[in-house]
């Protein structure tokens, strides 16, 4: 193994071991908190719900450990066993080593890795989620989701990959600026048309049911300057009993989406506060900020990729004798999580700040904090949320503050 290969292997192991360690301390912390008695959770859940939430947390954590180990073993095997250079040679011998051909090789290997992940994904839905009463998906729908997802990724990803490989050929050393611009442009278009064209491929979106609730919710959206026709209900119950709401899209495509499960689980004031929270994301332009930060991060990433794929030792580390840009890009994609794993806590910290801002906006719009707190508690109980994650674990992995943190921030507003 070359020095750079050793460094990559070390970084992959460090990531996997860190993730496993975080799961372990979170499991211990959750068990200890559960033993401390009901004072910390009695306001949120009854005893049997709490016992189920602890069991769900531990089962999910055990599953995450298995996913981490399995993913780590697969990645190390793909990168260091020599299977990739061998497969690439066979492919090139049969189909040539043009960009079109090697681009297809990359898509095929990517698809193969997705297939290797199928057992884990199936267990998550039909083992874990089923056991805790959340799964409502049929195997047929599950397969339809996978196939549509893969088809979409290939339909968007393959032409984009060919364009990027094209820029390497004609744009000279600054190709990565062109490539970055193309990826950002595609993302931008997807963010605009995604809620209009892609979301409906997977889910049915309908206007809010026509009653008093609709009038109060739309009045609230109006108060925040949000177009009323873009508040919609999604048939989340076809897949899961988990409930959620989210804000997505840019420009005309922007939408606030409430799961139908949410409408069943919360009362009128609570639903208003959830909508007000999503309106807070709209008001504070959180999506635009995330998009710009993502684009800036990607610029740095492309700069690093452009430098790496010019180095012979980069290819040698993974058993390739000659450097082909298509392979270089693919190797970077395989290694990407090894780096992004450590950036995620920073992104999550930022995301949690946005959540506090949206909560504060909701409290202002509602004129009180009680219904927001009641909504958060109701959702925590229905979704069997872990009420006592280890602080290090939640700092690292949580895009939303914990229930306790959000309650404390709302209560400190004092109303
Ligand atoms: Zn939010």
């Amino acid at each position: 193994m070359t020095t750079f290969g050793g460094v990559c292997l070390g970084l992959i192991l460090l990531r996997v071991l860190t993730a496993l360690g975080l799961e372990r301390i979170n499991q211990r912390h959750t068990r200890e908190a559960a033993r401390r008695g009901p004072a910390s959770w009695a306001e949120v859940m009854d005893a049997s719900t709490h016992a189920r939430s602890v069991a769900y947390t531990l089962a999910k954590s055990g599953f995450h450990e298995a996913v981490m180990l399995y993913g780590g073993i697969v990645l190390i095997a793909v990168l260091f066993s020599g299977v990739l250079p061998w497969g690439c040679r066979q492919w090139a011998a049969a189909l040539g080593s043009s960009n079109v051909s090697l681009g297809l090789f990359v898509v095929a290997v990517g698809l193969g890795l997705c297939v290797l992940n199928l057992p884990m994904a199936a267990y998550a839905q039909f083992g874990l989620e089923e056991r805790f009463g959340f799964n409502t998906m049929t195997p047929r729908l599950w397969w339809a989701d996978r196939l549509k997802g893969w088809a979409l990724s290939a339909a968007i990803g393959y032409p984009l990959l060919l364009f990027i490989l094209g820029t390497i050929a004609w744009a000279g050393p600054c190709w990565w600026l062109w490539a970055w611009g193309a990826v950002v442009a595609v993302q931008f278009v997807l963010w605009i048309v995604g809620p209009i064209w892609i979301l409906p491929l997977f889910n049915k979106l309908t206007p809010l049911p026509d009653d008093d609730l609709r009038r109060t919710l739309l009045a609230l959206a109006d108060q925040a300057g949000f177009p009323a026709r873009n508040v919609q209900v999604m048939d989340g119950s076809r897949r899961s009993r988990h409930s959620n709401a989210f804000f997505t899209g840019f420009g005309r495509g922007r939408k606030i989406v409430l799961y139908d499960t949410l409408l069943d689980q919360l009362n009128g004031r609570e639903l208003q506060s959830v909508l007000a929270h999503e309106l807070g994301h709209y008001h504070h332009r959180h999506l635009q900020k995330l998009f710009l930060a993502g684009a800036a991060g990607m610029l740095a990433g492309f700069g690093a990729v452009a430098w790496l794929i010019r180095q012979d030792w980069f290819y040698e580390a993974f058993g390739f004798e000659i450097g082909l840009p298509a392979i270089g890009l693919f190797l970077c994609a395989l290694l990407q999580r090894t780096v992004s794993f450590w950036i995620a806590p920073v992104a999550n910290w930022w995301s949690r700040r946005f959540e506090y801002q949206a909560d504060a906006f909701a409290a202002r719009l509602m004129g009180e904090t009680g219904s927001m707190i009641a909504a958060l508690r109701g959702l925590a109980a229905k979704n069997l949320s872990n009420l006592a994650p280890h602080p290090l674990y939640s700092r690292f992995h949580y895009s939303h503050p914990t229930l306790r943190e959000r309650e404390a921030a709302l209560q400190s507003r004092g109303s």
Side-chain angles (χ1 to χ4, degrees):
M1 187 174 286
T2 68
T3 311
F4 183 69
V7 168
C8 287
L9 182 61
L11 287 174
I12 294 168
L13 291 174
L14 182 66
R15 166 171 70 81
V16 172
L17 290 175
T18 305
L20 291 177
L22 281 170
E23 292 300 335
R24 279 299 149 102
I25 60 166
N26 195 44
Q27 289 167 13
R28 199 177 325 128
H29 194 263
T30 304
R31 280 198 201 93
E32 275 166 14
R35 274 197 290 273
R36 275 202 295 274
S40 60
W41 46 263
E43 292 171 298
V44 184
M45 300 173 177
D46 59 36
S48 81
T49 309
H50 178 255
R52 285 206 305 139
S53 89
V54 171
Y56 184 48
T57 300
L58 295 176
K60 268 200 305 190
S61 179
F63 176 67
H64 288 160
E65 288 179 339
V67 167
M68 268 293 147
L69 272 175
Y70 179 69
I73 290 168
V74 168
L75 181 62
I76 288 170
V78 168
L79 284 175
F80 298 105
S81 70
V83 66
L84 217 49
W86 174 82
C88 186
R89 272 197 306 277
Q90 308 300 318
W91 187 283
L95 299 166
S97 50
S98 66
N99 282 348
V100 173
S101 161
L102 287 182
L104 273 180
F105 173 72
V106 165
V107 171
V109 177
L111 211 59
L113 291 175
C114 290
V115 171
L116 284 179
N117 272 326
L118 278 178
M120 287 292 183
Y123 176 76
Q125 192 68 25
F126 300 110
L128 188 67
E129 292 292 293
E130 178 81 38
R131 181 142 60 92
F132 288 91
F134 287 119
N135 176 45
T136 57
M137 231 180 186
T138 59
R140 191 191 160 88
L141 178 63
W142 186 83
W143 275 109
D145 277 2
R146 307 283 119 181
L147 295 175
K148 277 189 241 176
W150 292 344
L152 262 177
S153 313
I156 298 166
Y158 182 57
L160 191 59
L161 177 62
L162 287 187
F163 178 82
I164 292 171
L165 292 172
T167 63
I168 296 175
W170 59 255
C174 288
W175 69 268
W176 57 282
L177 290 172
W178 286 91
W180 170 77
V183 173
V184 171
V186 167
Q187 274 197 339
F188 187 67
V189 171
L190 280 178
W191 279 46
I192 291 176
V193 304
I196 306 171
W197 289 339
I198 296 177
L199 196 55
L201 290 178
F202 294 88
N203 286 97
K204 213 164 103 197
L205 293 156
T206 44
L208 282 162
D210 195 11
D211 55 15
D212 289 348
L213 178 65
R214 176 191 160 88
R215 277 188 290 281
T216 41
L217 289 183
L218 294 189
L220 199 65
D222 192 50
Q223 230 180 307
F226 189 81
R229 66 188 163 79
N230 291 359
V231 181
Q232 293 182 320
V233 180
M234 192 179 91
D235 58 346
S237 59
R238 275 178 75 212
R239 290 182 173 78
S240 166
R241 290 193 179 86
H242 283 299
S243 46
N244 207 347
F246 61 91
F247 170 50
T248 182
F250 276 152
R252 282 166 48 84
R254 71 191 165 207
K255 271 187 176 63
I256 289 176
V257 178
L258 308 172
Y259 281 40
D260 54 358
T261 39
L262 192 77
L263 298 186
D264 292 337
Q265 290 170 358
L266 300 182
N267 70 29
R269 284 294 289 180
E270 291 164 358
L271 275 172
Q272 283 182 52
S273 61
V274 170
L275 177 66
H277 170 96
E278 298 306 324
L279 291 166
H281 287 309
Y282 162 71
H283 174 84
H284 286 290
R285 301 177 186 275
H286 286 158
L287 282 187
Q288 284 96 319
K289 290 173 186 168
L290 284 174
F291 184 86
L292 289 177
M298 217 154 38
L299 184 65
F302 264 105
V305 167
W307 177 73
L308 267 180
I309 68 167
R310 277 203 312 270
Q311 316 301 325
D312 290 338
W313 47 258
F314 177 60
Y315 297 91
E316 282 160 15
F318 307 106
F320 287 91
E321 282 143 23
I322 40 166
L324 295 161
I327 299 301
L329 292 179
F330 185 58
L331 290 171
C332 289
L334 288 177
L335 291 169
Q336 182 246 338
R337 273 199 67 202
T338 307
V339 179
S340 67
F341 178 79
W342 304 102
I343 299 170
V346 180
N348 283 332
W349 167 80
W350 209 37
S351 166
R352 289 194 301 270
R353 275 182 47 141
F354 286 176
E355 295 306 322
Y356 284 127
Q357 285 176 358
D359 279 352
F361 180 87
R364 280 201 302 279
L365 198 64
M366 298 292 290
E368 45 96 15
T369 56
S371 45
M372 185 79 216
I373 290 174
L376 291 173
R377 287 180 176 181
L379 291 177
K382 289 288 180 198
N383 290 300
L384 297 179
S385 302
N386 183 11
L387 296 182
H390 191 284
L392 194 60
Y393 187 84
S394 61
R395 289 286 167 279
F396 207 95
H397 284 307
Y398 279 26
S399 61
H400 287 56
T402 64
L403 175 66
R404 289 302 180 213
E405 289 167 339
R406 291 176 79 171
E407 278 189 15
L410 282 164
Q411 273 154 357
S412 75
R413 300 180 57 81
S415 70

